[in-house]
Amino acid sequence: ATQRWLATPAPAGHATPGAPQRRLATASPAASTAAVAHPRTPNGPGVSPCPRHDSLDVMLDVLTGFLVVVVLIVVGFTVGRMRVLGPGAVHTLTLFVFSVATPALLVDVLAHADLGQVFGVNLAVAVAGSLLVGALAFAGQRLLARRPVPDSLVTMLAASYCNGSNLGVPIAAHVLGNPAAVLPVIIFQVAVYGPLVVLALDLATRRTSPDRTSSLVRELLSGIVRNPLIIAAVVGVAVALLHDRTGFTLPQDVAEPVSYTHLTLPTTPYV
Protein backbone atom coordinates (compact mmCIF):
# COMPACT_ATOMS: atom_id res chain seq x y z
CA ALA A 1 0.00 0.00 0.00
CA THR A 2 2.85 2.38 0.80
CA GLN A 3 4.46 1.71 -2.59
CA ARG A 4 1.19 2.41 -4.42
CA TRP A 5 0.73 5.62 -2.40
CA LEU A 6 4.27 6.77 -3.22
CA ALA A 7 3.61 6.19 -6.91
CA THR A 8 0.36 8.23 -6.85
CA PRO A 9 0.75 12.00 -7.30
CA ALA A 10 -0.84 13.98 -4.45
CA PRO A 11 -2.91 17.11 -4.99
CA ALA A 12 -1.01 20.33 -4.52
CA GLY A 13 -0.93 21.62 -0.99
CA HIS A 14 -2.08 18.35 0.57
CA ALA A 15 0.05 16.19 2.88
CA THR A 16 -1.19 13.03 4.50
CA PRO A 17 -0.54 12.97 8.27
CA GLY A 18 2.00 10.36 9.32
CA ALA A 19 3.15 9.78 5.73
CA PRO A 20 6.68 8.51 5.02
CA GLN A 21 9.51 11.03 4.91
CA ARG A 22 9.96 10.75 1.13
CA ARG A 23 6.29 11.70 0.44
CA LEU A 24 6.37 14.60 2.88
CA ALA A 25 9.50 15.96 1.27
CA THR A 26 7.57 16.49 -1.98
CA ALA A 27 4.62 18.26 -0.33
CA SER A 28 6.05 21.44 1.17
CA PRO A 29 9.16 22.85 2.89
CA ALA A 30 7.37 22.84 6.25
CA ALA A 31 6.44 19.20 5.83
CA SER A 32 10.02 18.37 4.89
CA THR A 33 11.29 19.99 8.09
CA ALA A 34 8.79 18.04 10.16
CA ALA A 35 9.76 14.79 8.48
CA VAL A 36 13.46 15.30 9.19
CA ALA A 37 12.79 16.26 12.80
CA HIS A 38 10.48 13.28 13.39
CA PRO A 39 11.42 10.47 10.98
CA ARG A 40 9.18 7.44 10.85
CA THR A 41 10.51 4.17 12.18
CA PRO A 42 8.95 0.70 12.56
CA ASN A 43 7.96 1.76 16.10
CA GLY A 44 6.27 5.03 15.10
CA PRO A 45 7.20 8.66 14.31
CA GLY A 46 10.24 9.92 16.18
CA VAL A 47 10.78 6.61 18.00
CA SER A 48 14.20 4.94 17.72
CA PRO A 49 14.38 1.22 16.83
CA CYS A 50 14.35 -1.01 19.86
CA PRO A 51 17.96 -1.87 20.80
CA ARG A 52 16.76 -5.15 22.30
CA HIS A 53 15.96 -6.45 18.81
CA ASP A 54 19.47 -5.61 17.56
CA SER A 55 21.05 -7.24 20.61
CA LEU A 56 18.90 -10.32 20.13
CA ASP A 57 19.95 -10.61 16.49
CA VAL A 58 23.63 -10.34 17.43
CA MET A 59 23.21 -12.96 20.15
CA LEU A 60 21.46 -15.31 17.75
CA ASP A 61 24.30 -14.90 15.24
CA VAL A 62 26.86 -15.71 17.94
CA LEU A 63 24.93 -18.77 19.11
CA THR A 64 24.54 -19.95 15.52
CA GLY A 65 28.28 -19.66 14.96
CA PHE A 66 29.03 -21.66 18.10
CA LEU A 67 26.38 -24.21 17.12
CA VAL A 68 28.13 -24.82 13.81
CA VAL A 69 31.42 -25.51 15.60
CA VAL A 70 29.74 -27.77 18.18
CA VAL A 71 28.06 -29.79 15.43
CA LEU A 72 31.41 -30.25 13.68
CA ILE A 73 33.03 -31.36 16.95
CA VAL A 74 30.25 -33.90 17.51
CA VAL A 75 30.66 -35.20 13.97
CA GLY A 76 34.42 -35.48 14.43
CA PHE A 77 34.00 -37.26 17.77
CA THR A 78 31.54 -39.73 16.22
CA VAL A 79 33.79 -40.39 13.22
CA GLY A 80 36.75 -40.93 15.53
CA ARG A 81 34.88 -43.29 17.84
CA MET A 82 33.67 -45.36 14.90
CA ARG A 83 37.17 -45.33 13.35
CA VAL A 84 35.69 -44.45 9.98
CA LEU A 85 38.98 -42.93 8.78
CA GLY A 86 41.25 -45.53 10.31
CA PRO A 87 43.23 -45.73 13.56
CA GLY A 88 45.73 -42.99 12.65
CA ALA A 89 43.24 -40.46 11.29
CA VAL A 90 43.36 -38.08 14.25
CA HIS A 91 47.13 -37.71 14.10
CA THR A 92 47.09 -37.27 10.31
CA LEU A 93 44.28 -34.70 10.38
CA THR A 94 46.01 -32.80 13.16
CA LEU A 95 49.23 -32.55 11.17
CA PHE A 96 47.34 -31.51 8.04
CA VAL A 97 45.34 -28.80 9.83
CA PHE A 98 48.31 -27.43 11.76
CA SER A 99 50.93 -27.63 9.00
CA VAL A 100 48.95 -26.97 5.80
CA ALA A 101 45.32 -25.87 6.09
CA THR A 102 45.46 -23.25 8.85
CA PRO A 103 48.73 -21.60 7.65
CA ALA A 104 47.39 -21.32 4.11
CA LEU A 105 44.16 -19.83 5.42
CA LEU A 106 46.05 -17.25 7.48
CA VAL A 107 48.13 -16.24 4.47
CA ASP A 108 45.00 -15.79 2.38
CA VAL A 109 43.21 -13.75 5.05
CA LEU A 110 46.17 -11.59 6.10
CA ALA A 111 47.04 -10.76 2.50
CA HIS A 112 43.76 -8.82 2.28
CA ALA A 113 43.44 -7.69 5.91
CA ASP A 114 43.82 -4.31 7.56
CA LEU A 115 47.02 -4.84 9.56
CA GLY A 116 46.35 -1.84 11.78
CA GLN A 117 43.08 -3.39 12.88
CA VAL A 118 44.50 -6.88 13.31
CA PHE A 119 47.59 -5.90 15.34
CA GLY A 120 46.22 -2.82 17.09
CA VAL A 121 43.70 -3.12 19.88
CA ASN A 122 43.30 -6.87 19.30
CA LEU A 123 46.94 -7.52 20.10
CA ALA A 124 46.83 -5.31 23.19
CA VAL A 125 43.74 -7.12 24.48
CA ALA A 126 45.30 -10.53 23.82
CA VAL A 127 48.49 -9.63 25.69
CA ALA A 128 46.72 -7.93 28.60
CA GLY A 129 44.14 -10.69 28.95
CA SER A 130 46.66 -13.53 28.93
CA LEU A 131 48.99 -11.81 31.39
CA LEU A 132 46.20 -10.79 33.76
CA VAL A 133 44.58 -14.22 33.89
CA GLY A 134 47.96 -15.92 34.16
CA ALA A 135 49.08 -13.66 36.98
CA LEU A 136 45.87 -14.26 38.93
CA ALA A 137 46.17 -18.02 38.49
CA PHE A 138 49.82 -18.03 39.54
CA ALA A 139 49.13 -15.85 42.58
CA GLY A 140 46.20 -18.00 43.61
CA GLN A 141 48.19 -21.20 43.45
CA ARG A 142 51.32 -19.75 45.01
CA LEU A 143 49.83 -17.59 47.78
CA LEU A 144 46.48 -19.18 48.57
CA ALA A 145 47.04 -22.85 47.79
CA ARG A 146 50.75 -22.55 48.72
CA ARG A 147 51.83 -24.71 45.81
CA PRO A 148 55.46 -24.73 44.59
CA VAL A 149 56.54 -22.51 41.73
CA PRO A 150 56.55 -25.25 39.04
CA ASP A 151 52.98 -26.25 39.89
CA SER A 152 51.93 -22.59 39.90
CA LEU A 153 53.48 -22.05 36.46
CA VAL A 154 51.62 -25.05 35.07
CA THR A 155 48.38 -23.71 36.55
CA MET A 156 49.12 -20.32 34.99
CA LEU A 157 49.46 -21.88 31.56
CA ALA A 158 46.34 -23.99 32.02
CA ALA A 159 44.33 -20.90 32.93
CA SER A 160 45.62 -18.45 30.31
CA TYR A 161 46.91 -20.43 27.31
CA CYS A 162 44.11 -21.15 24.83
CA ASN A 163 43.81 -23.32 21.74
CA GLY A 164 44.01 -20.41 19.33
CA SER A 165 44.62 -22.49 16.21
CA ASN A 166 42.44 -25.61 16.08
CA LEU A 167 39.53 -24.01 17.97
CA GLY A 168 40.25 -20.29 17.74
CA VAL A 169 40.42 -20.07 13.94
CA PRO A 170 37.12 -21.87 13.17
CA ILE A 171 35.28 -20.09 16.00
CA ALA A 172 36.54 -16.70 14.79
CA ALA A 173 35.54 -17.60 11.23
CA HIS A 174 32.01 -18.76 12.05
CA VAL A 175 31.18 -16.36 14.90
CA LEU A 176 33.10 -13.20 13.94
CA GLY A 177 33.41 -13.81 10.22
CA ASN A 178 37.14 -13.03 10.36
CA PRO A 179 39.72 -15.79 11.03
CA ALA A 180 42.46 -13.14 11.35
CA ALA A 181 40.87 -11.87 14.58
CA VAL A 182 42.51 -14.70 16.50
CA LEU A 183 45.95 -14.19 14.96
CA PRO A 184 47.25 -11.80 17.69
CA VAL A 185 46.50 -14.46 20.31
CA ILE A 186 48.35 -17.13 18.32
CA ILE A 187 51.41 -14.97 17.69
CA PHE A 188 51.70 -13.79 21.29
CA GLN A 189 51.23 -17.23 22.82
CA VAL A 190 53.36 -19.20 20.37
CA ALA A 191 56.18 -16.68 19.92
CA VAL A 192 56.42 -15.03 23.36
CA TYR A 193 54.23 -16.29 26.16
CA GLY A 194 54.62 -20.04 25.81
CA PRO A 195 58.42 -20.13 25.34
CA LEU A 196 59.01 -17.76 28.27
CA VAL A 197 56.86 -19.85 30.62
CA VAL A 198 58.57 -23.06 29.49
CA LEU A 199 61.95 -21.45 30.15
CA ALA A 200 60.79 -20.26 33.58
CA LEU A 201 59.47 -23.73 34.36
CA ASP A 202 62.79 -25.30 33.47
CA LEU A 203 64.65 -22.80 35.65
CA ALA A 204 62.23 -23.32 38.53
CA THR A 205 62.87 -27.07 38.63
CA ARG A 206 66.56 -26.36 39.39
CA ARG A 207 67.65 -29.03 36.98
CA THR A 208 69.36 -26.66 34.59
CA SER A 209 72.89 -25.51 34.04
CA PRO A 210 74.19 -22.61 31.94
CA ASP A 211 74.87 -24.96 29.03
CA ARG A 212 71.42 -26.52 29.34
CA THR A 213 69.79 -23.10 29.53
CA SER A 214 71.52 -21.97 26.33
CA SER A 215 70.48 -25.19 24.61
CA LEU A 216 66.88 -24.73 25.75
CA VAL A 217 66.79 -21.13 24.51
CA ARG A 218 68.10 -22.22 21.11
CA GLU A 219 65.53 -25.00 20.98
CA LEU A 220 62.69 -22.64 21.83
CA LEU A 221 63.80 -20.06 19.27
CA SER A 222 64.12 -22.78 16.65
CA GLY A 223 60.60 -23.96 17.44
CA ILE A 224 59.26 -20.44 17.00
CA VAL A 225 60.99 -19.92 13.67
CA ARG A 226 59.84 -23.30 12.35
CA ASN A 227 56.26 -22.99 13.56
CA PRO A 228 53.94 -23.11 10.49
CA LEU A 229 51.55 -20.55 11.98
CA ILE A 230 54.34 -18.04 12.61
CA ILE A 231 55.70 -18.58 9.09
CA ALA A 232 52.21 -18.07 7.65
CA ALA A 233 51.76 -14.87 9.66
CA VAL A 234 55.06 -13.46 8.41
CA VAL A 235 54.23 -14.30 4.78
CA GLY A 236 50.72 -12.87 5.05
CA VAL A 237 51.93 -9.64 6.65
CA ALA A 238 54.65 -9.28 4.00
CA VAL A 239 52.13 -9.69 1.18
CA ALA A 240 49.76 -7.18 2.82
CA LEU A 241 52.54 -4.61 3.23
CA LEU A 242 53.64 -5.05 -0.37
CA HIS A 243 50.06 -4.63 -1.52
CA ASP A 244 49.62 -1.40 0.47
CA ARG A 245 52.88 0.13 -0.76
CA THR A 246 53.24 -1.16 -4.31
CA GLY A 247 49.89 -2.72 -5.21
CA PHE A 248 51.45 -6.18 -5.38
CA THR A 249 49.10 -9.15 -5.28
CA LEU A 250 49.78 -12.86 -5.35
CA PRO A 251 49.73 -14.37 -8.84
CA GLN A 252 46.45 -16.07 -9.68
CA ASP A 253 48.15 -19.46 -9.97
CA VAL A 254 49.29 -19.09 -6.36
CA ALA A 255 46.35 -17.23 -4.81
CA GLU A 256 43.66 -19.55 -6.12
CA PRO A 257 45.05 -22.79 -4.64
CA VAL A 258 45.67 -21.00 -1.34
CA SER A 259 42.10 -19.71 -1.24
CA TYR A 260 40.79 -23.25 -1.68
CA THR A 261 41.95 -23.99 1.85
CA HIS A 262 38.78 -22.26 3.08
CA LEU A 263 37.11 -25.55 2.19
CA THR A 264 39.31 -27.32 4.74
CA LEU A 265 38.48 -24.91 7.57
CA PRO A 266 35.49 -26.96 8.81
CA THR A 267 37.81 -29.93 9.39
CA THR A 268 39.71 -28.15 12.16
CA PRO A 269 37.17 -28.83 14.95
CA TYR A 270 37.26 -32.52 14.03
CA VAL A 271 40.68 -32.92 15.64
Side-chain angles (χ1 to χ4, degrees):
T2 302
Q3 291 177 351
R4 290 198 301 270
W5 185 85
L6 287 172
T8 304
H14 289 76
T16 303
Q21 179 179 345
R22 179 181 173 187
R23 181 64 185 86
L24 289 173
T26 62
S28 65
S32 301
T33 304
V36 173
H38 302 284
R40 287 185 58 84
T41 66
N43 298 319
V47 180
S48 301
C50 181
R52 294 181 58 186
H53 293 169
D54 296 337
S55 300
L56 181 60
D57 291 340
V58 173
M59 183 60 65
L60 290 177
D61 291 341
V62 172
L63 293 178
T64 301
F66 276 108
L67 180 61
V68 171
V69 177
V70 170
V71 170
L72 292 175
I73 292 175
V74 171
V75 172
F77 175 79
T78 304
V79 170
R81 292 287 293 180
M82 298 178 63
R83 295 183 178 272
V84 175
L85 302 178
V90 174
H91 180 67
T92 303
L93 282 176
T94 301
L95 291 178
F96 171 74
V97 168
F98 181 75
S99 302
V100 179
T102 304
L105 175 65
L106 292 178
V107 170
D108 187 34
V109 171
L110 278 175
H112 307 89
D114 183 357
L115 298 182
Q117 182 178 3
V118 172
F119 295 102
V121 178
N122 290 344
L123 181 59
V125 171
V127 173
S130 297
L131 293 180
L132 178 60
V133 173
L136 291 175
F138 181 86
Q141 281 289 92
R142 184 70 178 142
L143 301 178
L144 299 180
R146 299 190 180 280
R147 302 293 298 175
V149 173
D151 292 352
S152 301
L153 288 172
V154 172
T155 301
M156 181 178 70
L157 274 183
S160 58
Y161 199 100
C162 66
N163 190 346
S165 55
N166 287 356
L167 284 180
V169 171
I171 289 177
H174 289 292
V175 177
L176 303 178
N178 181 18
V182 76
L183 187 61
V185 178
I186 296 176
I187 293 178
F188 172 68
Q189 291 187 345
V190 173
V192 180
Y193 190 49
L196 288 180
V197 175
V198 170
L199 181 60
L201 183 61
D202 188 78
L203 294 174
T205 55
R206 301 181 184 277
R207 295 177 301 146
T208 185
S209 63
D211 293 338
R212 175 176 170 80
T213 301
S214 300
S215 176
L216 179 61
V217 171
R218 288 195 299 269
E219 183 178 351
L220 291 174
L221 292 177
S222 176
I224 294 172
V225 173
R226 293 185 289 107
N227 189 292
L229 301 180
I230 299 298
I231 296 174
V234 172
V235 173
V237 169
V239 173
L241 291 176
L242 286 175
H243 176 73
D244 292 340
R245 297 182 179 182
T246 66
F248 170 82
T249 57
L250 290 175
Q252 187 67 20
D253 294 339
V254 176
E256 189 171 349
V258 171
S259 64
Y260 284 158
T261 57
H262 285 286
L263 299 177
T264 67
L265 180 63
T267 66
T268 55
Y270 288 172
V271 300

